[in-house]
């Protein structure tokens, strides 16, 4: 039977497609640009994210339940459809490699600094490949379970840090110019644009119409977690110290001290964080495999997953030099690529649909 | 329903409540116990002539109903409401006292607000159960309290801390200090508070009301004697230091050292004292809630909540422990409490005697709907 | 025994009486002696085959023979039936209008045989199989059909207390090997007309009787059809235990997690039936299978429903945590002591470091050593004869652990960790889930030894993906958790009191009738007087 | 199809085997790490000297009592290394220590005065850059060399590093004269608007050291580790010390007082003088900058709750008059302390009390031009302190004992 995933599970997928990389490197960059008003640009990013979710959901409504590539072919003709499918496939594969590389850097910086990079990347991609091989339904269910876990752990960490928070450190509000705030909101908006993965997910949903709901919940959850880390960073460390830390979230958890025994627990929170990283990697691998398999008309997805993951390990290790500055490259340099893949392409598709709908309505019967 | 034994044990525990903590009539120093004895006698007069008479005329009505019946709807409501505030104020004083003493004795670093919240919550839980449950608690607690007090006396006498010689130059400064220590203060502090029982007598199951009167007076006398004996023991064991410590009897227990095993057990005794105080403050809480429930026509459980919040908020009014003690012993006992405990009850008695016509009509009306009355209150 | 050809041929036939192409020499011939001789040859002439020929006086002395295999028939039923036949043989009947084989056949079936269930067969091979089944066959000279009488019996074990799944409070009777007793135990508990038993015969050589039991209207129709479809597909020589069938009909081939629940207790089986599940009972084993089943079901013991709800909830949480402890504790210990020492409080770290001062092996190897020793001890404990078995494993564990610590081979903390893990894996009511935890523990230990907490988290992610992908008879395995079904959560981690469990677990029971008890049955104490 | 699956599985198994055999990169056994409980940083003119106090687990825990039979071994050893930079010095430690230094359980970092005067920015950078060291380590200053502090034994606590942290924590909780300053708080204050920070001082009282175990055989040990004054830092360099009285006043101004005490002079009817000790239970300080015309001034209002711990004058404590006089005296004492600390801050031209941050928050526009010359602006702005003192309880007796004695004669 055709796999069917519920609305909440799609929301969990969308949320985990956005949050992990966003919460790692983006806060310290935003705070270095917009100082203590960084959380305002976080709010701007939230609003922009919801707008993008609305746009994507609007486009998805036009899809009558066909899979993405076949939907493209039916609305723009075979060659254009395959071109879009291949383009998206490559785009998702490329961002998959970026994500694998940024997580490998993160793990080797924070936890396992002497483990060789290829072994870390190997393990990560192997686990991701296994998850994708289980099919979209298993992936959706694990995403939901991980979301529940995060919704338990994150408030717990806020509760534990309660004594160190001092809201007065946000005080000279609107101290920075509006321009700096807009610039600071660029990286999170770029990452929030990942909601366009909904285009691929809605056909699999039990109730495709609820795609809007899933997109909104996903982006809001993601943006809220970013806001939470921004506020924690600002209220605990103040805006001068945070730019010095490459992974803000880890330093925040490092100063937790409850009683004599509950100290130095940031490795535990980071380990729970590994789960969300895995879900994000599996979503991207699934997206790229889905696009490539359907555009190239291949028979089985399992072989494509195996091939792509080996290719991903090699590219993610060799594409960038060894000594890259933490998450900076991926958060800032990656923005134009994200904009093209997640905003320009869907807009073109929307435009195309509008034009062809006019033609299709006239010749309504034979083409659909 | 409440049995006679329960009413008597409630009277004893209620009177023993906070009076067991302090040296009453401290101004009369060595002769304080005589002042207490005098107070017991004076109180006996007040309770038998005024309070019990009111209830004898209207055995099945509580104070609020009597006000409404005899003072008319509006004035009855107003005076009733003032009494609710009086009961709530007495409860706040006890809550604050309980909290401050436990901070001083047991938990020095706990914030006051948390402790008082805890006390109010426990009180609220007991009140929610209704009067029957609360009186059963008193009946269970009385034997335990008496046993422990008896144990303390045995220990104090056994280890020789009690030396009756310290009482000896009796009436050294004549009778006057004893008299003015007794009349305004002792009458109103432990013994004048019996006015609260006007709210409870109607729940007692008894064929005729005289049994209730006998039982209450017996309980009252026992409690009076008990408190006098306690005062004697305090003065006999502490002598000149009696007036010095805020809680003399606890101070006395710290002197006890029976072999190196049975030493420094006063925190255990402190807990016991606080149980008695807890019963007193919950009694006031219950009285206030029953009154409010009757006035506003709502059920006891719902009325207990606003009363509880009022008590908790009120107890923050006192700036410090000393302020609470000063307000209590200087102003209230001399000016405010006598009004509630003597002036208004006497006034009420007179009005009841005058408007006996109203009473006869209320008698017939009373047979027809006793049941609905009770159920209305009970749920 | 029948030649190979027969085997090939009969396998397809499976259930008796449905043969299509009957070769000539199979058909029963009128002549009694040739039939007897061919039947003997078909059954290989064991000397436990009994043949008793009789002669009926009033049906012009036609001969008829009674055949059965001694030992698997009910001796009492046979002897009474023989008595009846003998009497009938000597009695003389007047109105025998047409003597001869056909009405003797009819006369015997209607008037004289004292056995309840009769049926007739017309080939040697069917008669042979029936006799192997434990029935007895009556051949009449000159008649083309034979009468088959159901006289199955023989020595079976009495109903005893189940040995593996014991319970403090609750019924004490357990299933036995005999399918008939088991179905009667179920019948005695659920006396409703919609209780359906559907019988199948599986296994070419063993021809084991398998009963698919469900409650009409409560179990889902597709699930029942699915069970039947999968059972019919099994083509195997012999089925000696329900475990054979379990591996054939489960949804996924390679998974450490059990996809079918087995139980030895009729009350547990009936509990499953009432919740809309299907029970598969196999003759020859007290363990019957329950399907479809979810991950959470393995942490519910039948006692949860007999004890009060608060202790039941508490025990369930303990079981769930002990499952994770038995899987994660050794790997967490290795990861934290060798990779992330900063997570330990200082005093604990110093005492651990002092203990490990003289230990030669790295933590991973040390853990492996201890785990394997414990597994060996446990297996020794099980294999030992009943009395000294458990004593050996516990004493062994303690003595070995203590000696190892003294000798400085293993650190004391490791012995604590490993023994606590071993005990934790016993807490899980279902043994097969305990086994799953024990196997995964080794994989996680290797990952922890190489990548620390990161390795453990990767292993858990693999596990989560695998679990979410699993299905049991089409139903998602992680049912109430990941495809979140709020109403089922009432009976998973917590057990709400009985009066609150109104709806049957959705998505397992059929959607037609949802409610299993009336509403508003919360016990409300009468408000005694003020 | 079947062959390919088998080959894929065999590859995975091979990968797994490779994992285990090549060993595990980040794996460090517990008996291969040297747990440091305290580090000391010194500067001798051109080289950093970093000293480590390493814990010897076997000597402390009683588990391996058997092997410790060769007489009491010292639970800690101290050694130091020299280097151009701090990390360089730490790397030198590999050439002399059999085990890898492990900083995660480091409790305290002691910085010598010369190193403090040179600057702490290098140290903070080391603490934030690599993941091994913790940011919650407490910073302590010492007049002499930090190595001498590390070598001292402590009476009750075997590991003096952990002992130092416990002293500073309990001191902050009960008397709050010296604040506990973790590295991240030091970094925040230095990079804050005021560009200043404070660090508590620890020093070795007494002449010779108690660095050998046999000094424990007598009832009192020759010299002890004590908390002393407060070091003041400006732009990460130390510029001077602050006395204990001034540092208590600073603690009130920085609102870092959890519990403290104040000695209040008292006088009875006959005019006999004496002293009462009042324990401060709770104190809350608000510093509000006020701008009239160009002149910036600060108003500090503090409300304090106290209980009487000791009363030497003959007073009946429950009289309202007596309570008021006690409260008034308390206020006078606290105001005096605060003014003294404020004056010292202005004298050294360093704003230790967070005044800069509060001004930046209240007047962001004026803050633009004040920010670079803040020290002069701060030196000129006066402090008007107002304290609201509330006596909550009088303890177990309602009159002072002296009162009973005097009354006896009347």
């Amino acid at each position: 039977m055709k796999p069917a995933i519920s609305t909440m599970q799609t929301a969990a997928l969308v949320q985990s497609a956005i949050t992990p990389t966003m919460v790692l490197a983006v806060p310290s960059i935003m705070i270095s640009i917009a100082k203590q008003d960084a959380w305002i640009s976080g709010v701007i990013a939230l609003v922009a994210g919801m707008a993008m979710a609305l746009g994507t959901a609007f486009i998805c409504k036009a899809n009558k339940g066909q899979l993405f590539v076949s939907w493209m072919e039916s609305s723009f003709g075979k060659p254009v459809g395959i071109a879009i499918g291949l383009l998206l496939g490559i785009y998702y594969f490329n961002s998959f490699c970026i994500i694998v590389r940024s997580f490998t850097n993160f793990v080797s910086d924070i936890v396992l600094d002497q483990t060789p990079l290829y072994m870390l990347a190997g393990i990560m991609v192997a686990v991701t490949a296994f998850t994708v091989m289980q099919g979209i339904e298993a992936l959706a269910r694990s995403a939901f379970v991980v979301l529940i876990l995060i919704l338990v752990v994150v408030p717990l960490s806020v509760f534990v840090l309660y004594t160190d928070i001092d809201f007065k450190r946000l005080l000279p509000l609107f101290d920075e110019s509006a321009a700096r705030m807009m610039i600071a909101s660029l990286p999170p908006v770029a990452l929030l644009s990942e909601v366009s993965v909904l285009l691929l997910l809605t056909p699999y949903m039990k109730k495709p119409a609820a795609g809007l709901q899933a997109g909104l919940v996903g982006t809001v959850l993601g943006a809220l977690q970013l806001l939470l880390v921004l506020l924690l960073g600002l209220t605990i460390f103040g805006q001068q110290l945070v730019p010095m830390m490459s992974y803000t979230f880890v330093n925040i958890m490092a100063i937790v001290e409850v009683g004599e025994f509950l100290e130095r627990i940031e490795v535990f929170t980071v380990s729970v964080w590994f789960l969300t990283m895995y879900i994000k990697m599996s979503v991207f691998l699934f997206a790229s495999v889905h696009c490539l398999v359907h555009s190239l008309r291949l028979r089985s997805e399992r072989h494509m997953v195996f091939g792509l993951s080996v290719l991903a390990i090699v590219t993610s290790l060799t594409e960038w030099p060894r000594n890259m500055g933490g998450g900076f490259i991926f958060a800032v340099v990656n923005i134009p690529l994200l904009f093209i893949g997640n905003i320009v392409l869907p807009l073109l598709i929307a435009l195309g649909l509008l034009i062809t709908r006019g033609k299709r309505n006239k010749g309504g019967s034979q083409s659909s | 329903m409440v049995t006679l034994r329960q009413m008597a044990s409630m009277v004893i525990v209620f009177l023993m409540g906070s009076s067991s903590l302090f040296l009453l009539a401290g101004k009369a120093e060595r002769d304080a116990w005589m002042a207490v004895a005098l107070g017991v006698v004076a109180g006996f007069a007040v309770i038998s002539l005024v309070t019990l008479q009111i209830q004898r005329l209207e055995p099945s009505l509580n104070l609020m109903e009597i006000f409404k019946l005899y003072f008319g709807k509006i004035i009855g409501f107003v005076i009733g409401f003032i009494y609710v505030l009086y009961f709530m104020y007495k409860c706040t004083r006890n809550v604050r006292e309980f909290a401050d003493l436990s901070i001083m004795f047991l938990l020095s670093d706990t914030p006051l607000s948390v402790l008082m919240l805890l006390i109010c919550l426990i009180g609220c839980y007991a009140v929610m159960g209704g009067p029957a449950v609360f009186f059963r608690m008193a009946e269970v607690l009385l034997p335990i309290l008496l046993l422990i007090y008896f144990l303390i006396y045995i220990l104090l006498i056994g280890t020789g801390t009690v030396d009756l010689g310290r009482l000896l130059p009796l009436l050294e400064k004549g009778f006057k200090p004893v008299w003015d220590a007794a009349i305004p203060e002792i009458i109103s502090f432990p013994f004048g508070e019996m006015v609260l029982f006007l709210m409870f007598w109607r729940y007692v199951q008894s064929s005729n009301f005289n049994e209730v009167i006998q039982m209450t007076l017996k309980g009252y006398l026992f409690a009076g004697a008990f408190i006098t004996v306690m005062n004697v023991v305090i003065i006999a064991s502490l002598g000149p230091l009696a007036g010095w410590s805020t809680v003399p009897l606890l101070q006395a227990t710290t002197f006890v050292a029976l072999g190196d095993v049975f030493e420094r057990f006063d925190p255990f005794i402190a807990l016991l004292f606080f149980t008695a105080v807890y019963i007193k403050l919950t009694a006031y809480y219950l009285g206030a809630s029953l009154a409010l429930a009757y006035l506003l026509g709502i059920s006891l459980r719902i009325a207990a909540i606003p009363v509880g919040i009022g008590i908790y908020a009120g107890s923050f009014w006192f700036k410090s422990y000393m302020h609470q003690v000063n307000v209590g012993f200087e102003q209230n006992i001399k000016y405010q409490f006598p009004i509630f405990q003597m002036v208004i009850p006497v006034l009420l008695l007179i009005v009841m005697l005058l408007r006996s016509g109203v009473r006869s009509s209320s008698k017939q009306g009373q047979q027809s709907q006793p049941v609905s009355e009770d159920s209305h209150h009970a749920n | 025994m029948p030649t190979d050809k027969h085997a090939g041929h009969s396998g397809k036939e499976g259930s008796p009486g449905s043969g299509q192409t009957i070769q000539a020499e199979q058909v029963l011939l009128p002549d009694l002696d040739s039939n007897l001789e061919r039947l003997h040859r078909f059954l290989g002439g064991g000397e436990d085959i009994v043949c008793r020929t009789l002669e009926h006086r009033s049906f012009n002395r036609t001969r008829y023979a009674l055949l059965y295999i001694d030992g698997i028939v009910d001796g009492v039923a046979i002897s009474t039936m023989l008595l009846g036949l003998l009497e009938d043989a000597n009695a003389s009947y007047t109105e025998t209008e047409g003597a001869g084989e056909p009405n003797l056949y009819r006369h015997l079936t209607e008037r004289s045989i004292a056995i309840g269930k009769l049926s007739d067969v017309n080939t040697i091979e069917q008669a042979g199989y029936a006799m192997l089944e434990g029935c007895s066959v009556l051949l009449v000279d000159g008649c083309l059909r034979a009468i088959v009488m159901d006289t199955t019996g023989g020595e079976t074990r009495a109903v005893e207390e189940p040995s593996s799944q014991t319970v403090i409070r609750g019924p004490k009777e357990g299933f036995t090997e005999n399918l008939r007793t088991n179905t009667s135990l179920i019948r005695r508990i659920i006396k409703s007309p919609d209780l359906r038993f559907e019988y199948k015969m599986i296994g070419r050589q063993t021809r084991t009787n398998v009963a698919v039991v469900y409650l009409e209207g409560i179990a889902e129709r597709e699930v029942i059809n699915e069970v039947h479809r999968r059972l019919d597909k099994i083509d195997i020589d012999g089925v000696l235990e329900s475990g054979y069938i379990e591996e054939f009909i489960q949804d996924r081939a390679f998974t450490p997690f059990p996809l079918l629940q087995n139980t030895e207790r009729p009350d547990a089986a009936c509990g499953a039936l009432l919740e809309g599940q299907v029970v598969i009972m196999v003759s020859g084993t007290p363990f019957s299978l329950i399907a479809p089943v979810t991950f959470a079901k393995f942490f519910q013991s039948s006692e949860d429903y007999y004890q009060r709800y608060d202790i039941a909830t508490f025990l369930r949480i303990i079981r769930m945590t002990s499952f994770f402890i038995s899987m994660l504790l050794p790997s967490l210990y290795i990861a934290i002591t060798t990779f992330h020492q900063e997570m330990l409080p200082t005093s604990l770290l110093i005492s651990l470091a002092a203990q490990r001062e003289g230990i030669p092996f790295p933590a991973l190897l040390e853990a492996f050593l201890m785990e394997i020793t414990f597994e060996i001890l446990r297996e020794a404990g099980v294999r030992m004869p009943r009395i000294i078995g458990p004593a050996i494993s516990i004493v062994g564990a303690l003595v070995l652990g203590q000696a190892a610590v003294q000798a400085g081979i293993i650190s004391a903390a490791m012995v604590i960790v490993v023994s606590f893990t071993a005990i934790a894996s016993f807490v899980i009511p279902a043994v097969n889930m305990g086994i799953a935890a024990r196997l995964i523990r080794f994989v996680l230990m290797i990952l922890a030894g190489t990548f620390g907490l990161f390795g453990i988290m990767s292993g858990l992610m693999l596990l989560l993906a695998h679990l979410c992908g699993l299905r049991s008879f089409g139903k998602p395995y992680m049912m109430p958790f990941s495809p979140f079904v709020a109403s089922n959560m009432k009976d998973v981690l917590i057990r709400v009191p009985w009066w609150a469990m109104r709806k049957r677990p959705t998505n397992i029971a059929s959607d037609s009738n949802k409610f299993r008890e009336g509403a508003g049955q919360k016990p409300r104490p009468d408000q005694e007087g003020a | 199809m079947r062959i390919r699956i088998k080959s894929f599985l065999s590859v995975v198994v091979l990968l797994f085997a490779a994992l285990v055999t090549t060993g595990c990169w980040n794996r460090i056994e517990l008996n291969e790490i040297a747990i440091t409980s305290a580090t000391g940083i010194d500067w001798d003119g051109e080289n950093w000297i970093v000293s480590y106090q390493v814990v010897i687990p076997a000597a402390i825990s009683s588990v391996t009592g058997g092997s410790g039979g060769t007489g009491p071994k010292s639970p800690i050893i101290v050694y130091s290394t020299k280097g151009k930079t701090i990390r360089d010095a730490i790397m030198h430690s590999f050439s002399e220590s059999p085990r890898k230094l492990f900083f995660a359980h480091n409790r305290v970092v002691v910085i010598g005065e010369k190193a403090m005067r040179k600057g702490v920015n290098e140290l903070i950078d080391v603490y934030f850059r690599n993941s091994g060291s913790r940011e919650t380590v407490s910073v302590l200053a010492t007049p002499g060399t930090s190595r001498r502090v590390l070598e001292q034994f402590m009476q009750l606590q075997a590991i003096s590093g952990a002992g130092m942290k416990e002293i500073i924590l309990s001191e902050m909780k009960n008397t709050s004269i010296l604040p506990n300053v973790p590295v991240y708080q030091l970094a925040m204050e230095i990079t804050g608007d005021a560009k200043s920070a404070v660090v508590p001082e620890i020093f070795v009282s007494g002449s010779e050291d108690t660095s050998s175990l046999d000094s424990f055989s007598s009832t009192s040990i020759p010299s002890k580790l004590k908390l002393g004054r407060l070091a003041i830092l400006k732009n990460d360099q130390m510029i001077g010390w602050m006395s204990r009285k001034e540092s208590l006043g600073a603690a009130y101004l920085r609102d870092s007082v959890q519990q403290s005490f104040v000695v209040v002079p008292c006088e009875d009817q006959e005019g006999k003088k004496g002293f009462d000790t009042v324990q401060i239970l709770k104190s809350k300080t608000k510093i509000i900058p006020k701008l009239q015309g160009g002149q910036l001034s600060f108003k500090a209002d503090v409300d304090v709750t106290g209980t009487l711990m000791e009363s030497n004058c003959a007073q009946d404590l429950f009289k309202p008059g007596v309570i008021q006089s006690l409260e008034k005296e308390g206020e006078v004492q606290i105001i005096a302390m605060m003014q003294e600390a404020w004056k010292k801050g202005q004298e050294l031209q360093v704003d230790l009390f967070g005044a800069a941050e509060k001004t930046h928050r209240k007047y962001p526009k004026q803050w633009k031009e004040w920010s670079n010359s803040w020290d002069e602006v701060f030196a000129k702005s006066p402090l008007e302190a107002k304290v609201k003192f509330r006596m909550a309880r009088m303890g177990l007796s309602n009159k002072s004992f002296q009162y009973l004695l005097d009354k006896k004669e009347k």
Side-chain angles (χ1 to χ4, degrees), chain C residues 132-149:
Chain C
L132 288 170
E133 207 52 46
C135 312
S136 41
V137 172
L138 195 75
L139 292 166
V140 179
D141 188 12
C143 180
L144 290 180
R145 282 181 296 123
I147 308 162
V148 166
M149 292 156 282

Side-chain angles (χ1 to χ4, degrees), chain A residues 230-288:
Chain A
L230 279 172
L231 282 172
L232 278 180
L234 284 171
T235 52
I236 292 170
F237 292 120
Q239 39 100 358
Q240 289 92 352
L241 212 55
V242 174
M244 221 175 87
M245 315 168 186
S246 54
Y247 298 112
T248 325
F249 186 63
V250 174
N251 288 83
I252 291 171
M253 287 314 291
I255 62 154
V256 164
E257 256 186 359
V258 171
E260 220 286 308
F261 58 96
L262 199 61
E263 271 176 320
R264 300 177 289 276
I265 51 160
E266 90 274 11
V267 177
F268 175 68
T269 346
V270 162
S271 337
V272 175
W273 201 255
F274 291 151
L275 291 179
T276 51
M277 282 177 349
Y278 276 120
I279 300 284
K280 170 154 186 152
M281 287 193 282
S282 341
V283 167
F284 276 82
L285 183 61
F286 171 77
S288 68

Side-chain angles (χ1 to χ4, degrees), chain C residues 184-318:
Chain C
S184 67
L185 285 171
I186 299 263
R187 277 265 191 233
R188 203 172 298 124
I189 296 177
I190 300 182
K191 293 190 263 299
S192 102
D194 336 333
L195 183 63
R196 294 285 182 280
F197 290 85
E198 284 157 8
Y199 291 89
K200 307 180 104 46
M201 192 82 75
I202 299 179
R204 288 192 227 115
Q205 302 304 338
T206 59
R207 300 178 63 75
T208 338
N209 297 326
V210 171
V212 175
V213 191
Y214 62 91
L215 275 167
E216 187 61 44
I218 291 178
E220 257 183 30
R221 184 42 59 189
E222 306 85 27
V223 171
I224 299 163
N225 300 345
E226 184 62 24
V227 168
H228 279 298
R229 203 172 53 73
R230 290 187 186 178
L231 284 178
D232 293 347
K233 271 216 322 268
I234 299 176
D235 176 8
I236 182 174
D237 253 358
V239 170
L240 304 179
E241 215 280 344
S242 51
Y244 290 52
I245 298 179
E246 182 173 351
E247 269 150 34
F248 275 99
I249 61 172
Q250 63 182 12
D251 285 48
R252 163 110 43 136
F254 301 105
T255 163
F257 288 95
L259 295 176
L260 284 149
Q261 195 179 358
N262 59 42
T263 176
E264 218 186 339
R265 303 174 54 78
D267 57 310
C270 292
L273 285 173
L274 290 171
E275 284 199 351
Q277 289 169 310
V278 177
V279 174
I280 304 166
M281 294 162 69
V282 178
S283 92
T285 163
F287 286 92
S288 52
L289 299 173
I290 302 176
V293 94
T294 63
F295 179 74
K297 279 253 179 297
F298 291 97
F299 298 98
Q300 298 163 353
S301 97
S302 50
E303 200 181 343
D304 294 352
Y305 300 97
Y306 309 144
Q307 298 283 13
R308 285 176 46 77
Y309 62 90
D310 36 25
I311 184 70
T313 321
F314 177 67
L315 285 179
R316 280 222 180 126
I317 294 167
I318 295 242

Side-chain angles (χ1 to χ4, degrees), chain D residues 160-184:
Chain D
S160 66
M164 283 191 251
K165 173 102 183 196
E166 272 150 26
I167 291 176
I168 185 79
L169 278 179
S170 74
E171 189 274 337
M172 177 164 167
K173 187 171 171 310
N174 295 316
T175 52
S176 322
I177 295 170
L178 298 173
N180 165 35
V181 177
V183 171
Y184 74 88

Side-chain angles (χ1 to χ4, degrees), chain A residues 110 197 270 283 314:
Chain A
I110 297 292
V197 83
V270 162
V283 167
V314 174

Side-chain angles (χ1 to χ4, degrees), chain D residues 343-362:
Chain D
K343 200 156 50 46
K344 178 82 182 195
Q346 291 183 325
E347 205 180 282
L348 293 169
Q349 294 220 330
V350 69
D351 160 21
L352 300 169
F353 319 111
E357 246 169 23
K358 296 185 174 61
T359 327
H360 180 180
R361 287 187 190 134
K362 196 150 190 232

Side-chain angles (χ1 to χ4, degrees), chain B residues 29 96 100 103-105 109 112 240-241 243-247 251 318-323 325-326, chain D residues 173 259 317-320 323-324 327 390-401 404 407-408:
Chain B
E29 290 111 16
R96 180 57 187 258
D100 275 324
I103 284 182
M104 271 190 260
F105 262 91
D109 286 345
L112 192 66
L241 296 180
W244 184 45
S245 140
T246 39
V247 191
Q251 200 71 42
F318 299 108
K319 267 219 317 303
S320 67
Y321 178 64
M322 298 74 74
H323 177 247
V325 169
N326 294 347
Chain D
K173 187 171 171 310
Q259 264 185 6
L317 303 167
F318 273 64
K319 286 267 176 312
I323 302 166
Q324 261 72 30
E327 285 166 352
R390 185 176 76 84
M391 290 297 290
R393 269 173 294 285
M394 282 297 171
L396 286 183
S397 41
N398 45 29
K399 297 183 190 56
S400 64
F401 190 68
L404 286 178
K407 198 171 68 57
K408 207 85 198 89

